[in-house]
Amino acid sequence: MHDDRTLVEARLDRVLRERIRPAVHPMTAPLDVEIWSTQGEPVPVAEGLTAPTGPIAEGTPWGSPWGTSWFKVTGTVPAEWAGRTVEAVLDLGFSPRTPGFQCEGLVYRPDGTPVKGLHPRNSYVRVGSPVAGGEQVHWHIEAASNPDLTADGAPFQPTRLGERDTAGEAPQYVLGAMRLAVFDETVWNLVMDLEVLGELMAELPVDGARRWEILRAVGRALDAVDLQDVNGTARAARDELAGVLAAPAVPAAHRISAIGHAHIDSAWLWPLRETVRKVARTASNMTALLEAEPEFVFAMSQAQQFAWLKEHRPEVWARVRKAVAEGRFVPVGGMWVESDTNMPGSEAMARQFVHGKRFFLEEFGIESEEAWLPDTFGFAAGLPQIIKAAGARRLLTQKISWSRTNSFPHHTFLWEGIDGSRIFTHFPPVDSYNCEMLGRQIGHAARNFKEKGVATRSLAPTGYGDGGGGTTREMVAKAARLRSLEGSAVVEWEPPAEFFAKAEAEYPNPSVWVGELYLELHRATLTSQAQTKRGNRRSESLLREAELWAATAAVRTGSPYPYEELDRIWKTVLLHQFHDILPGSSIAWVHREARETYARLAGELEGLITTAQQALAGEGSAELVFNGAPHTRAGVPAGGAAPAAGAVGAVPPVPREGGGYVLDNGLLRVEIDDRGLVVSAYDHTVGREAVAPGSAANLLQLHPDFPNQWDAWDVDAFYRNTGRDLVDVASLGVDGTAVRIERVFGESTVTQLLSVPDGVPRLDIDTEVDWHERERFLKLAFPLDVKADRYASETQFGHAFRPTHQNTSWEWAKFEACNHRFVHVDEPGWGVAIVNDATYGHDVTRTVRTADAGTTTTVRASLLRAPRYPDPETDQGVHRFRHALVPGAIGDAVREGYRANLPERRVTGAGRPVAPLVTVDQDAVVVSAVKLADDRSGDLVVRLYEAHGGRAFAAVSVAGAFAVDRAVPTDLLERPLADADPVATEESTVHLQLRPFQLVTLRFPRV
Ligand SMILES: [Zn+2]
């Protein structure tokens, strides 16, 4: 037979586009449209419903950037449409280019009840089926003229649209057609049939019979369509397709569990307040779709987004609650937000699950067993243990498919963390968290699935996120046709928990991946928006102190424990760990508000700390030193207070021969040359030099930094090819007991204070940068005379190792990575840590001297960047950083990391020492939280972990606080562990054995 395949395919394409799709709405009637625009921020719904509107015609520009307009839409269903299905098609001025990222609306009835959202590819509102004719329609639309920051055709260009004050007033949209229309369901179904078959056909092998079978059926269907009367002939065309659509899937077909989904970033190219409305629109849409489509199931993550509905949109919340109770609107993830997981500290990562799971339990009685993080930029190796300790056991993410260098070898596997905890993990092979049920996506998922032969199932999160409105009726219609269709994977709507249960059952011994799930992309999110990073780190440290001192004051003095305040502040900090806020990838508006919020929280937390410490200190004029760190410091016990023994000083600098200064406290001798660089750091106790021969530490290095795309997110490997050392010194002198160094470069200045404290082998480096560079990357380098094949970076509840070499592409790709409070490199018995108070990004490289094969390791902290998208002014201004060079073992790195983030506090009072509530007799076992139980029973909750990476035996005592005969091991939610009995105490002391990096939560009853 002659090969006319491409002819038929091209015919299908044109006839669908030009004749059949337009016939879905064969008749239309105009609606009367009026508009009122707010001056500024959104108004309450009641105000919008009664606002004084004026007429607006199709084709009229409307909507200043970030404005809100209320449309009033009225009309009458023509009498001659009686018996037909009628809907309104409301085009606010949508561009078909993207499903979201532009204007959106929420349709209300006159009584203020929401109907559904309006989005570029979801702009209908059903009037009736069938209608009687003559019905009056009357709706209000709360329309947001959010500007399109994706910049069509030229992405990642600097734009002033990301901040209200700089966005201007120019209308962003032109009102499109606002009409009533007859909906021809038969034609719409013909469109769905032809799209599903056309898309499937394109995935099938050209030499396979099934492709040709479908092609011939499509040809017959197109023959059956009278192009002058599509509506009258659509049924006949469908009949021609019924046979090929009825052919069942083959037994070995891949099985896809589809779940309705809308990935809504809690802030990103819009401010937080707009996310509240995006969630309301999408949730309205999805509850409406659930009512219309009995097979459909929708999942939504992020307890915060549910909480926004509860607080701001009670009518939508009521609909969601009903659908949740029916098991069709499924809360997933059990986290407060879909957070970053690289940067949040131990407790914060734990609290993401505590607050998320607790919200779902309290509101819905639902316990999520899966972490749901489709879009997060890499996964820290501490996470598996945290997920398990929260009472969950599974993880879903898709993001690792974005890695640019290596293809991850599994889609379903066990992920093992630093302590040995393993969780069942699935990466949807559809490679999208916005699946549209397109044939190419379904075909890709089936082909891409790496567990073929040992497993058969994958998950497909299906729907438009970020203002696209979620799953569409078209996606549901396509899924129905793919339920069993020869040549395609099998698709079925299914809650994620059911997918996971089936996936686990069919694949009991999955492969194991050990260590972090590193995303080979978006590495600059560890550095961009430095003030947001600092705000997060500072908030985490202050929360630790606030809980510790408030609990101590409550137990010791009966002071009220600030449950409400801590709960609210925690949730705010957790919200800002969302994967576009803490990573620094949001618009200027978001980061300005984040800075303001962190400043407010710091004030509140300082207030809580002061109140508690004053209650503990009592009245008087004697000075007490409070130590909030987990290690004894200058004679003050961890978590306690002692009379001040005088200020801890620092050694005075003395002039250095040849220029510069020497700082020597008898433990560490630091030489700073006339360029202000550290050319020697000699550890007297072991007789070792820390700085690599011929090198200089505390070296600022400036690189060009213009990634190929994703400016705030990415730093590309070529940034290292060029750069310069900032060695010119503007001034060098002594400032008290510190050496002061000033440098000028570009438009910027940097001032550093270097000091060595009395009695501690540590070089403190305070850096202040007035940063006015564009598209540059500033690093602080420490070449160290240590030969290390791997280095340790602190992560949640421990540290993770990475190689210092680049033997493989996997190692090469980790050229920028995340640390918490320290990076440590060592040879057996001795090493050097670089600790910090607010930086996360770093790189570690090795250098071999050709003369003697001596190998040194260079640690560089990433200080600042200056990307121009999406915030064109990213990081401009003054920044402060504290770093320290600490010779010693891993335990010294752990201790000094805490110290750098938890400065001592001096409080005047009666002068009586405050004994700690909790003591631990072993430095390797670190207390990460001391608090009163969230259930307000007054029980004391203590979380601790093994921090050195070895086995530890520790006595944990509350004897100094109260008598107790048992401690109860709990999960993160402070619930007794099912598989662990209460531990008997001797004299209120528990003896524990901890595995390397094991975290333990203990509850001490106080009755
Ligand atoms: Zn996202």
Side-chain angles (χ1 to χ4, degrees):
M1 207 172 158
H2 296 295
D3 183 351
D4 63 347
R5 178 176 62 81
T6 55
L7 189 70
V8 178
E9 288 170 359
R11 180 189 183 194
L12 170 64
D13 186 52
R14 183 174 187 191
V15 173
L16 250 182
R17 185 177 64 247
E18 295 187 13
R19 297 299 157 91
I20 303 180
R21 286 197 194 103
V24 169
H25 292 122
M27 286 172 271
T28 64
L31 286 162
D32 291 323
V33 185
E34 301 195 335
I35 187 172
W36 171 76
S37 296
T38 64
Q39 303 299 313
E41 286 298 274
V43 298
V45 173
E47 195 177 329
L49 293 172
T50 55
T53 51
I56 181 170
E58 289 179 18
T60 306
W62 69 278
S64 59
W66 307 114
T68 296
S69 296
W70 282 82
F71 289 93
K72 182 173 151 192
V73 179
T74 53
T76 307
V77 175
E80 60 271 26
W81 291 1
R84 312 293 292 263
T85 297
V86 173
E87 55 192 28
V89 181
L90 305 172
D91 179 2
L92 298 176
F94 299 124
S95 157
R97 186 179 60 86
T98 62
F101 300 102
Q102 40 181 304
C103 60
E104 294 173 70
L106 180 54
V107 180
Y108 294 88
R109 298 180 190 90
D111 66 2
T113 54
V115 182
K116 73 181 281 290
L118 295 180
H119 308 273
R121 297 181 194 167
N122 192 341
S123 62
Y124 68 92
V125 182
R126 185 59 68 89
V127 175
S129 177
V131 295
E135 289 96 334
Q136 301 292 312
V137 301
H138 180 172
W139 293 305
H140 297 260
I141 305 167
E142 181 188 17
S145 42
N146 300 330
D148 177 2
L149 279 99
T150 62
D152 189 8
F156 313 118
Q157 296 305 304
T159 168
R160 299 278 163 186
L161 285 168
E163 175 64 283
R164 174 136 214 157
D165 290 347
T166 59
E169 296 295 326
Q172 299 291 296
Y173 297 97
V174 174
L175 190 65
M178 305 280 276
R179 294 177 192 172
L180 289 171
V182 168
F183 176 75
D184 187 327
E185 192 158 0
T186 305
V187 174
W188 180 79
N189 273 309
L190 176 60
V191 173
M192 295 298 103
D193 292 346
L194 286 170
E195 287 188 359
V196 165
L197 289 169
E199 290 165 12
L200 170 60
M201 198 162 61
E203 297 304 303
L204 295 171
V206 173
D207 56 1
R210 177 64 171 161
R211 180 160 184 156
W212 289 88
E213 188 182 44
I214 295 173
L215 187 85
R216 294 300 165 222
V218 166
R220 290 194 303 277
L222 295 177
D223 289 341
V225 174
D226 178 349
L227 297 181
Q228 312 309 314
D229 182 17
V230 173
N231 301 85
T233 52
R235 167 49 53 197
R238 289 200 73 200
D239 289 345
E240 294 294 340
L241 300 172
V244 286
L245 282 167
V250 298
H254 183 64
R255 310 187 74 84
I256 292 178
S257 299
I259 181 68
H261 191 50
H263 177 74
I264 302 181
D265 291 296
S266 286
W268 180 24
L269 300 177
W270 50 87
L272 282 165
R273 65 91 163 145
E274 191 56 29
T275 317
V276 176
R277 303 200 298 175
K278 282 183 187 285
V279 173
R281 294 178 201 118
T282 295
S284 301
N285 255 1
M286 292 302 91
T287 49
L289 191 65
L290 286 167
E291 283 179 18
E293 301 285 354
E295 301 278 295
F296 177 55
V297 187
F298 182 76
M300 189 164 110
S301 67
Q302 313 201 53
Q304 169 71 83
Q305 297 193 352
F306 287 83
W308 278 331
L309 287 178
K310 184 180 180 186
E311 182 182 350
H312 296 286
R313 289 292 193 277
E315 312 86 355
V316 183
W317 171 244
R319 279 164 53 166
V320 167
R321 281 181 65 88
K322 179 170 173 288
V324 170
E326 293 163 356
R328 301 185 58 209
F329 195 114
V330 185
V332 288
M335 293 174 71
W336 189 247
V337 295
E338 288 183 16
S339 73
D340 183 81
T341 74
N342 282 315
M343 291 176 278
S346 309
E347 275 308 309
M349 204 67 246
R351 306 299 171 97
Q352 286 287 354
F353 288 92
V354 169
H355 287 280
K357 290 195 78 162
R358 187 170 289 143
F359 184 91
F360 288 166
L361 276 165
E362 288 177 355
E363 298 293 340
F364 307 123
I366 284 175
E367 173 122 32
S368 306
E369 294 214 299
E370 65 293 304
W372 183 276
L373 293 164
D375 192 30
T376 290
F377 309 152
F379 301 88
L383 194 56
Q385 179 172 215
I386 296 169
I387 292 172
K388 276 195 126 172
R393 58 202 177 99
R394 299 158 172 165
L395 169 68
L396 178 130
T397 181
Q398 175 276 324
K399 199 66 179 184
I400 299 301
S401 71
W402 284 43
S403 281
R404 290 300 160 87
T405 305
N406 296 285
S407 174
F408 198 81
H410 312 295
H411 286 104
T412 301
F413 61 103
L414 294 178
W415 179 31
E416 181 179 310
I418 53 171
D419 75 309
S421 294
R422 291 178 173 183
I423 57 171
F424 190 88
T425 302
H426 180 65
F427 294 173
V430 69
D431 281 352
S432 171
Y433 44 78
N434 304 304
C435 175
E436 299 166 63
M437 282 294 141
L438 299 175
R440 64 179 158 75
Q441 294 174 321
I442 303 301
H444 175 73
R447 287 189 298 272
N448 187 35
F449 186 54
K450 296 215 168 71
E451 274 65 40
K452 282 193 287 283
V454 292
T456 65
R457 295 174 179 278
S458 71
L459 187 140
T462 300
Y464 298 127
D466 283 343
T471 317
T472 63
R473 61 184 178 187
E474 286 77 15
M475 295 173 199
V476 176
K478 289 184 166 187
R481 286 158 175 79
L482 296 172
R483 187 160 188 148
S484 180
L485 182 62
E486 186 186 346
S488 172
V490 169
V491 175
E492 191 172 1
W493 296 106
E494 204 156 49
E498 284 181 31
F499 159 74
F500 271 109
K502 290 175 181 174
E504 286 171 335
E506 73 167 3
Y507 191 30
N509 294 302
S511 301
V512 178
W513 180 269
V514 177
E516 70 181 320
L517 298 171
Y518 181 92
L519 178 62
E520 296 166 349
L521 198 73
H522 293 0
R523 301 166 180 89
T525 58
L526 304 171
T527 306
S528 297
Q529 298 286 2
Q531 299 283 16
T532 302
K533 268 74 172 170
R534 168 165 293 279
N536 176 68
R537 181 75 70 81
R538 186 88 192 103
S539 300
E540 290 182 359
S541 299
L542 288 170
L543 275 161
R544 171 199 175 91
E545 284 198 271
E547 287 185 340
L548 168 67
W549 300 124
T552 308
V555 172
R556 296 248 179 253
T557 72
S559 300
Y561 188 80
Y563 292 105
E564 301 282 349
E565 292 92 330
L566 288 168
D567 182 77
R568 176 175 47 77
I569 295 169
W570 261 120
K571 285 172 177 167
T572 307
V573 172
L574 298 177
L575 167 60
H576 286 77
Q577 291 175 341
F578 177 73
H579 66 255
D580 283 307
I581 305 181
L582 180 54
S585 46
S586 283
I587 54 173
W589 187 336
V590 174
H591 289 289
R592 172 182 49 78
E593 286 192 337
R595 291 192 292 273
E596 293 164 2
T597 299
Y598 283 130
R600 177 170 50 78
L601 296 185
E604 286 190 67
L605 289 166
E606 293 282 358
L608 294 178
I609 292 165
T610 300
T611 301
Q613 290 184 331
Q614 283 177 346
L616 290 163
E619 297 292 324
S621 57
E623 198 174 49
L624 271 184
V625 175
F626 282 77
N627 176 12
H631 305 94
T632 300
R633 184 157 65 191
V636 184
V648 175
V651 295
V654 298
R656 171 178 175 267
E657 198 174 320
Y661 296 91
V662 174
L663 300 163
D664 191 346
N665 67 357
L667 299 169
L668 182 68
R669 179 181 194 273
V670 173
E671 288 189 41
I672 300 159
D673 72 2
D674 56 359
R675 302 168 299 169
L677 302 178
V678 174
V679 291
S680 170
Y682 184 78
D683 183 347
H684 287 288
T685 52
V686 295
R688 273 196 68 158
E689 173 60 50
V691 177
S695 303
N698 185 43
L699 175 66
L700 288 158
Q701 295 181 305
L702 190 65
H703 296 274
D705 182 11
F706 187 53
N708 291 347
Q709 53 179 351
W710 298 108
D711 296 42
W713 294 255
D714 283 1
V715 56
D716 288 331
F718 50 75
Y719 92 93
R720 297 171 298 186
N721 298 353
T722 51
R724 64 188 174 102
D725 296 345
L726 302 180
V727 294
D728 294 340
V729 62
S731 76
L732 176 69
V734 173
D735 184 344
T737 54
V739 175
R740 180 187 176 91
I741 305 146
E742 290 182 356
R743 303 183 197 281
V744 178
F745 60 95
E747 302 295 311
S748 307
T749 57
V750 59
T751 305
Q752 289 187 304
L753 294 173
L754 272 56
S755 59
V756 172
D758 288 326
V760 186
R762 186 178 81 223
L763 168 64
D764 287 327
I765 301 169
D766 290 4
T767 304
E768 180 179 301
V769 187
D770 190 9
W771 178 248
H772 298 283
E773 304 306 300
R774 302 281 189 199
E775 293 160 353
R776 290 175 192 271
F777 198 2
L778 183 65
K779 291 261 185 178
L780 182 61
F782 298 88
L784 303 171
D785 195 11
V786 176
K787 180 182 187 298
D789 291 338
R790 63 177 192 173
Y791 70 97
S793 304
E794 192 188 28
T795 186
Q796 295 101 9
F797 299 109
H799 51 266
F801 293 104
R802 299 186 183 94
T804 59
H805 54 72
Q806 300 177 345
N807 285 358
T808 69
S809 57
W810 295 87
E811 292 153 355
W812 175 81
K814 293 184 182 181
F815 59 82
E816 182 80 11
C818 185
N819 59 260
H820 289 183
R821 287 161 292 213
F822 67 80
V823 170
H824 184 252
V825 296
D826 68 354
E827 295 170 10
W830 188 83
V832 180
I834 305 300
V835 307
N836 72 80
D837 76 339
T839 58
Y840 294 90
H842 68 273
D843 68 281
V844 178
T845 49
R846 56 199 260 134
T847 308
V848 176
R849 296 186 296 276
T850 49
D852 64 353
T855 305
T856 60
T857 307
T858 299
V859 177
R860 298 198 305 166
S862 306
L863 303 191
L864 288 164
R865 300 182 71 233
R868 301 192 63 207
Y869 180 87
D871 176 1
E873 299 295 329
T874 304
D875 284 334
Q876 302 299 300
V878 176
H879 302 267
R880 290 184 183 82
F881 307 94
R882 303 195 82 191
H883 291 85
L885 181 150
V886 181
I890 191 77
D892 300 298
V894 173
R895 186 190 65 245
E896 292 302 317
Y898 273 101
R899 181 205 53 77
N901 288 269
L902 294 161
E904 66 176 33
R905 292 175 183 273
R906 287 170 179 258
V907 178
T908 54
R912 287 188 308 274
V914 178
L917 285 187
V918 183
T919 58
V920 182
D921 70 343
Q922 161 53 286
D923 250 10
V925 177
V926 172
V927 172
S928 76
V930 174
K931 61 191 284 292
L932 295 194
D934 289 349
D935 63 9
R936 307 195 180 190
S937 60
D939 290 354
L940 185 70
V941 172
V942 178
R943 186 149 37 247
L944 30 80
Y945 67 104
E946 197 290 316
H948 293 183
R951 199 156 302 258
F953 299 86
V956 181
S957 180
V958 295
F962 54 92
V964 63
D965 62 356
R966 66 192 193 284
V968 182
T970 74
D971 65 7
L972 296 178
L973 278 78
E974 303 169 5
R975 302 174 297 190
L977 292 176
D979 56 354
D981 293 326
V983 187
T985 63
E986 284 171 36
E987 297 177 351
S988 298
T989 300
V990 182
H991 294 275
L992 296 177
Q993 183 190 159
L994 284 87
R995 289 179 282 105
F997 301 129
Q998 183 183 359
L999 81 82
V1000 173
T1001 308
L1002 292 174
R1003 185 174 180 130
F1004 292 92
R1006 281 176 60 217
V1007 286

